[in-house]
Short mmCIF file of all heavy atoms in Angstrom, two decimals:
data_model
loop_
_atom_site.label_atom_id
_atom_site.label_comp_id
_atom_site.label_asym_id
_atom_site.label_seq_id
_atom_site.Cartn_x
_atom_site.Cartn_y
_atom_site.Cartn_z
N ALA A 291 141.64 90.11 101.59
CA ALA A 291 141.05 89.12 102.54
C ALA A 291 141.36 89.62 103.99
O ALA A 291 142.30 90.14 104.30
CB ALA A 291 141.68 87.75 102.32
N GLY A 292 140.28 89.32 104.79
CA GLY A 292 140.50 89.68 106.25
C GLY A 292 139.74 91.04 106.55
O GLY A 292 138.77 91.33 105.87
N GLU A 293 140.14 91.68 107.57
CA GLU A 293 139.34 92.86 108.11
C GLU A 293 139.92 94.19 107.34
O GLU A 293 141.15 94.31 107.13
CB GLU A 293 139.55 92.91 109.64
CG GLU A 293 138.64 93.99 110.25
CD GLU A 293 138.80 93.94 111.75
OE1 GLU A 293 139.66 94.63 112.24
OE2 GLU A 293 138.16 93.14 112.46
N SER A 294 138.94 95.03 107.08
CA SER A 294 139.23 96.40 106.56
C SER A 294 138.35 97.36 107.19
O SER A 294 137.17 97.06 107.60
CB SER A 294 139.05 96.26 105.03
OG SER A 294 139.83 95.44 104.36
N THR A 295 138.70 98.64 107.11
CA THR A 295 137.81 99.68 107.51
C THR A 295 137.34 100.50 106.34
O THR A 295 138.24 100.96 105.49
CB THR A 295 138.54 100.58 108.57
OG1 THR A 295 138.87 99.80 109.76
CG2 THR A 295 137.66 101.75 109.02
N ILE A 296 136.06 100.59 106.16
CA ILE A 296 135.60 101.24 105.00
C ILE A 296 134.71 102.51 105.27
O ILE A 296 134.07 102.47 106.31
CB ILE A 296 134.88 100.22 104.00
CG1 ILE A 296 133.61 99.61 104.84
CG2 ILE A 296 135.82 99.23 103.52
CD1 ILE A 296 132.73 98.71 103.85
N GLU A 297 134.64 103.39 104.44
CA GLU A 297 133.75 104.57 104.59
C GLU A 297 133.42 105.10 103.25
O GLU A 297 134.04 104.74 102.23
CB GLU A 297 134.37 105.60 105.51
CG GLU A 297 135.55 106.18 104.94
CD GLU A 297 136.31 107.30 105.86
OE1 GLU A 297 136.82 106.81 107.04
OE2 GLU A 297 136.19 108.44 105.60
N GLY A 298 132.45 106.13 103.24
CA GLY A 298 132.11 106.80 102.01
C GLY A 298 131.68 105.96 100.85
O GLY A 298 130.97 105.02 100.94
N GLU A 299 132.19 106.22 99.71
CA GLU A 299 131.97 105.57 98.36
C GLU A 299 132.22 103.96 98.48
O GLU A 299 131.62 103.08 98.14
CB GLU A 299 132.78 106.08 97.17
CG GLU A 299 132.27 105.67 95.91
CD GLU A 299 130.85 106.46 95.57
OE1 GLU A 299 130.75 107.58 95.95
OE2 GLU A 299 130.03 105.77 95.00
N GLN A 300 133.38 103.63 99.27
CA GLN A 300 133.66 102.28 99.40
C GLN A 300 132.62 101.51 100.31
O GLN A 300 132.26 100.36 100.16
CB GLN A 300 135.04 102.03 100.04
CG GLN A 300 135.56 100.76 100.07
CD GLN A 300 137.11 100.64 100.51
OE1 GLN A 300 137.36 101.37 101.46
NE2 GLN A 300 137.90 99.74 100.07
N ALA A 301 132.03 102.14 101.36
CA ALA A 301 131.01 101.62 102.14
C ALA A 301 129.82 101.31 101.31
O ALA A 301 129.14 100.31 101.45
CB ALA A 301 130.72 102.47 103.39
N LEU A 302 129.47 102.29 100.55
CA LEU A 302 128.07 102.07 99.66
C LEU A 302 128.43 101.09 98.75
O LEU A 302 127.58 100.16 98.49
CB LEU A 302 127.87 103.51 98.90
CG LEU A 302 126.79 103.29 98.05
CD1 LEU A 302 125.47 103.08 98.77
CD2 LEU A 302 126.56 104.66 97.24
N ALA A 303 129.61 100.85 98.14
CA ALA A 303 129.98 99.86 97.17
C ALA A 303 129.78 98.46 98.02
O ALA A 303 129.33 97.43 97.39
CB ALA A 303 131.37 99.94 96.64
N PHE A 304 130.22 98.42 99.25
CA PHE A 304 130.09 97.12 100.04
C PHE A 304 128.74 96.66 100.18
O PHE A 304 128.32 95.55 99.90
CB PHE A 304 130.85 97.34 101.29
CG PHE A 304 130.82 96.01 102.16
CD1 PHE A 304 131.90 95.22 101.94
CD2 PHE A 304 129.91 95.88 103.22
CE1 PHE A 304 131.99 93.97 102.79
CE2 PHE A 304 130.02 94.69 103.88
CZ PHE A 304 131.03 93.74 103.70
N VAL A 305 127.84 97.56 100.54
CA VAL A 305 126.35 97.14 100.84
C VAL A 305 125.70 96.83 99.56
O VAL A 305 124.68 96.39 99.61
CB VAL A 305 125.74 98.08 101.69
CG1 VAL A 305 126.26 98.19 103.06
CG2 VAL A 305 125.58 99.58 101.08
N ARG A 306 126.20 97.45 98.33
CA ARG A 306 125.52 97.32 97.11
C ARG A 306 125.99 96.06 96.29
O ARG A 306 125.41 95.61 95.38
CB ARG A 306 125.72 98.52 96.29
CG ARG A 306 125.05 99.79 96.77
CD ARG A 306 123.62 99.81 96.50
NE ARG A 306 123.28 99.79 95.05
CZ ARG A 306 122.03 99.45 94.58
NH1 ARG A 306 121.07 99.23 95.52
NH2 ARG A 306 121.80 99.44 93.31
N THR A 307 127.17 95.54 96.72
CA THR A 307 127.81 94.43 96.01
C THR A 307 127.00 93.08 96.28
O THR A 307 126.66 92.67 97.42
CB THR A 307 129.25 94.19 96.52
OG1 THR A 307 129.97 95.38 96.14
CG2 THR A 307 129.91 92.90 95.84
N ARG A 308 126.80 92.38 95.24
CA ARG A 308 126.20 90.97 95.39
C ARG A 308 126.90 89.98 94.52
O ARG A 308 126.84 88.80 94.78
CB ARG A 308 124.72 91.07 95.09
CG ARG A 308 124.31 91.37 93.65
CD ARG A 308 122.82 91.24 93.64
NE ARG A 308 122.26 91.66 92.25
CZ ARG A 308 121.07 91.59 91.86
NH1 ARG A 308 120.04 91.21 92.70
NH2 ARG A 308 120.64 91.99 90.70
N SER A 309 127.65 90.41 93.47
CA SER A 309 128.25 89.48 92.48
C SER A 309 129.45 88.83 93.09
O SER A 309 130.01 87.89 92.45
CB SER A 309 128.48 90.09 91.17
OG SER A 309 129.36 91.20 91.28
N SER A 310 129.91 89.32 94.09
CA SER A 310 131.18 88.74 94.71
C SER A 310 130.95 87.86 95.98
O SER A 310 131.82 87.41 96.54
CB SER A 310 132.21 89.85 95.12
OG SER A 310 132.54 90.57 93.92
N PHE A 311 129.68 87.67 96.40
CA PHE A 311 129.48 86.99 97.64
C PHE A 311 128.32 86.00 97.37
O PHE A 311 127.31 86.14 96.62
CB PHE A 311 128.92 87.94 98.77
CG PHE A 311 129.95 89.05 99.14
CD1 PHE A 311 129.61 90.42 98.79
CD2 PHE A 311 131.24 88.74 99.62
CE1 PHE A 311 130.58 91.35 99.09
CE2 PHE A 311 132.06 89.67 99.99
CZ PHE A 311 131.90 90.96 99.71
N GLY A 312 128.57 84.79 98.03
CA GLY A 312 127.55 83.79 98.02
C GLY A 312 127.16 83.38 96.72
O GLY A 312 128.08 83.20 95.81
N ASN A 313 125.79 83.20 96.44
CA ASN A 313 125.43 82.71 95.05
C ASN A 313 124.99 83.95 94.17
O ASN A 313 124.37 83.83 93.21
CB ASN A 313 124.26 81.80 95.15
CG ASN A 313 122.98 82.38 95.83
OD1 ASN A 313 122.95 83.60 96.12
ND2 ASN A 313 122.06 81.56 96.24
N LYS A 314 125.50 85.19 94.60
CA LYS A 314 125.35 86.32 93.85
C LYS A 314 123.92 86.79 93.70
O LYS A 314 123.52 87.53 92.80
CB LYS A 314 125.96 86.11 92.39
CG LYS A 314 127.35 85.77 92.35
CD LYS A 314 127.94 85.70 90.92
CE LYS A 314 129.34 85.23 90.99
NZ LYS A 314 129.92 85.19 89.55
N SER A 315 123.09 86.45 94.73
CA SER A 315 121.64 86.78 94.71
C SER A 315 121.47 88.07 95.68
O SER A 315 122.33 88.34 96.59
CB SER A 315 120.82 85.55 95.18
OG SER A 315 120.97 85.29 96.49
N ASP A 316 120.27 88.50 95.64
CA ASP A 316 119.91 89.67 96.52
C ASP A 316 119.78 89.05 97.89
O ASP A 316 120.14 89.77 98.91
CB ASP A 316 118.67 90.25 96.19
CG ASP A 316 118.28 91.38 97.04
OD1 ASP A 316 119.11 92.37 96.97
OD2 ASP A 316 117.08 91.47 97.59
N LEU A 317 119.50 87.80 98.12
CA LEU A 317 119.50 87.25 99.50
C LEU A 317 120.86 87.20 100.10
O LEU A 317 120.94 87.39 101.35
CB LEU A 317 118.83 85.76 99.46
CG LEU A 317 117.38 85.76 98.91
CD1 LEU A 317 116.96 84.27 98.79
CD2 LEU A 317 116.45 86.51 99.89
N ASP A 318 121.79 86.84 99.37
CA ASP A 318 123.17 86.89 99.94
C ASP A 318 123.67 88.32 100.27
O ASP A 318 124.32 88.63 101.11
CB ASP A 318 124.08 86.20 98.96
CG ASP A 318 124.14 84.69 99.08
OD1 ASP A 318 124.33 84.22 100.27
OD2 ASP A 318 123.63 84.06 98.23
N ARG A 319 123.23 89.34 99.39
CA ARG A 319 123.54 90.67 99.62
C ARG A 319 122.79 91.12 100.92
O ARG A 319 123.49 92.02 101.64
CB ARG A 319 123.18 91.68 98.49
CG ARG A 319 123.43 93.07 98.62
CD ARG A 319 123.21 93.89 97.42
NE ARG A 319 121.72 94.10 97.22
CZ ARG A 319 121.33 94.94 96.34
NH1 ARG A 319 122.13 95.76 95.66
NH2 ARG A 319 120.00 95.10 96.23
N ILE A 320 121.67 90.67 101.24
CA ILE A 320 121.03 91.01 102.41
C ILE A 320 121.95 90.58 103.70
O ILE A 320 122.14 91.28 104.70
CB ILE A 320 119.65 90.40 102.55
CG1 ILE A 320 118.74 91.10 101.65
CG2 ILE A 320 119.12 90.37 103.99
CD1 ILE A 320 117.31 90.39 101.57
N LYS A 321 122.56 89.43 103.57
CA LYS A 321 123.52 88.92 104.64
C LYS A 321 124.54 89.85 104.84
O LYS A 321 125.03 90.16 106.04
CB LYS A 321 124.01 87.61 104.41
CG LYS A 321 122.80 86.51 104.36
CD LYS A 321 123.48 85.12 103.99
CE LYS A 321 122.39 84.03 103.77
NZ LYS A 321 123.02 82.79 103.41
N ILE A 322 125.15 90.38 103.73
CA ILE A 322 126.33 91.29 103.76
C ILE A 322 125.86 92.61 104.46
O ILE A 322 126.63 93.09 105.27
CB ILE A 322 126.84 91.54 102.39
CG1 ILE A 322 127.22 90.32 101.68
CG2 ILE A 322 127.82 92.70 102.37
CD1 ILE A 322 128.33 89.52 102.44
N GLN A 323 124.62 93.09 104.10
CA GLN A 323 124.16 94.29 104.67
C GLN A 323 123.90 94.15 106.21
O GLN A 323 124.19 95.14 107.00
CB GLN A 323 122.84 94.79 104.09
CG GLN A 323 123.10 95.17 102.51
CD GLN A 323 121.78 95.35 101.81
OE1 GLN A 323 120.63 94.88 102.34
NE2 GLN A 323 121.81 95.98 100.71
N GLN A 324 123.40 92.97 106.57
CA GLN A 324 123.16 92.70 108.02
C GLN A 324 124.56 92.69 108.72
O GLN A 324 124.65 93.12 109.91
CB GLN A 324 122.51 91.36 108.21
CG GLN A 324 121.01 91.48 107.76
CD GLN A 324 120.42 90.08 107.75
OE1 GLN A 324 121.01 89.02 107.99
NE2 GLN A 324 119.03 90.11 107.58
N GLN A 325 125.54 92.11 108.21
CA GLN A 325 127.01 92.05 108.73
C GLN A 325 127.50 93.54 108.86
O GLN A 325 128.14 93.80 109.95
CB GLN A 325 127.82 91.20 108.05
CG GLN A 325 127.47 89.70 108.00
CD GLN A 325 128.15 88.94 106.91
OE1 GLN A 325 129.13 89.41 106.33
NE2 GLN A 325 127.60 87.69 106.65
N PHE A 326 127.25 94.27 107.86
CA PHE A 326 127.71 95.62 107.91
C PHE A 326 127.03 96.38 109.00
O PHE A 326 127.69 97.25 109.69
CB PHE A 326 127.39 96.25 106.56
CG PHE A 326 127.78 97.71 106.44
CD1 PHE A 326 129.02 98.20 106.08
CD2 PHE A 326 126.73 98.70 106.62
CE1 PHE A 326 129.35 99.46 106.09
CE2 PHE A 326 127.11 100.08 106.44
CZ PHE A 326 128.47 100.45 106.23
N LEU A 327 125.75 96.32 109.15
CA LEU A 327 125.00 97.08 110.06
C LEU A 327 125.27 96.59 111.51
O LEU A 327 125.42 97.44 112.43
CB LEU A 327 123.51 96.94 109.81
CG LEU A 327 122.96 97.62 108.51
CD1 LEU A 327 121.50 97.30 108.28
CD2 LEU A 327 123.13 99.16 108.60
N SER A 328 125.62 95.30 111.69
CA SER A 328 126.02 94.92 113.06
C SER A 328 127.29 95.47 113.34
O SER A 328 127.49 95.90 114.56
CB SER A 328 126.10 93.38 113.04
OG SER A 328 124.93 92.77 112.81
#
Side-chain angles (χ1 to χ4, degrees):
E293 190 175 90
S294 300
T295 299
I296 59 175
E297 62 181 73
E299 196 73 40
Q300 194 178 27
L302 179 59
F304 184 83
V305 299
R306 294 283 300 167
T307 296
R308 64 177 177 179
S309 58
S310 294
F311 299 114
N313 60 10
K314 303 181 181 181
S315 70
D316 186 56
L317 296 177
D318 280 296
R319 184 173 69 168
I320 287 176
K321 296 178 183 178
I322 300 303
Q323 293 171 346
Q324 292 173 348
Q325 294 164 16
F326 175 85
L327 292 174
S328 295

